[in-house]
Amino acid sequence: MSRYRIEYECRSAGDARLQSLSVPDIQTALIVADINLPRGSAELWEGERHIARIQKQAGPRSTYWRVC
């Protein structure tokens, strides 16, 4: 069973729904969010404990995540 999950809003054609994906670790959570979320923010959870809200930022060479 995965210990962590990443949650973010998935928007398509004016419809927004919450996407929740289980991941084995925090590093994988950031990779999954980077691939699936072109911009915006996501929530990182460890079980039922909220760890952080992260926001995708544009960098000079690549994007990075800022912890809010």
Side-chain angles (χ1 to χ4, degrees), residues 21-34:
L21 299 168
S22 296
V23 292
D25 52 46
I26 293 173
Q27 294 86 346
T28 304
L30 294 174
I31 292 167
V32 167
D34 193 48

Side-chain angles (χ1 to χ4, degrees), residues 4-62:
Y4 298 95
R5 75 179 182 281
I6 191 87
E7 293 181 350
Y8 56 90
E9 268 192 11
C10 183
R11 297 176 191 219
S12 60
D15 183 34
R17 61 185 171 89
L18 185 64
Q19 180 73 37
S20 179
L21 299 168
S22 296
V23 292
D25 52 46
I26 293 173
Q27 294 86 346
T28 304
L30 294 174
I31 292 167
V32 167
D34 193 48
I35 291 168
N36 292 292
L37 190 64
R39 63 187 161 282
S41 61
E43 305 289 333
L44 181 59
W45 296 83
E46 179 181 15
E48 294 302 313
R49 185 176 76 111
H50 183 255
I51 297 175
R53 180 174 197 189
I54 55 175
Q55 187 175 50
K56 196 167 191 178
Q57 304 288 305
R61 296 185 187 180
S62 63

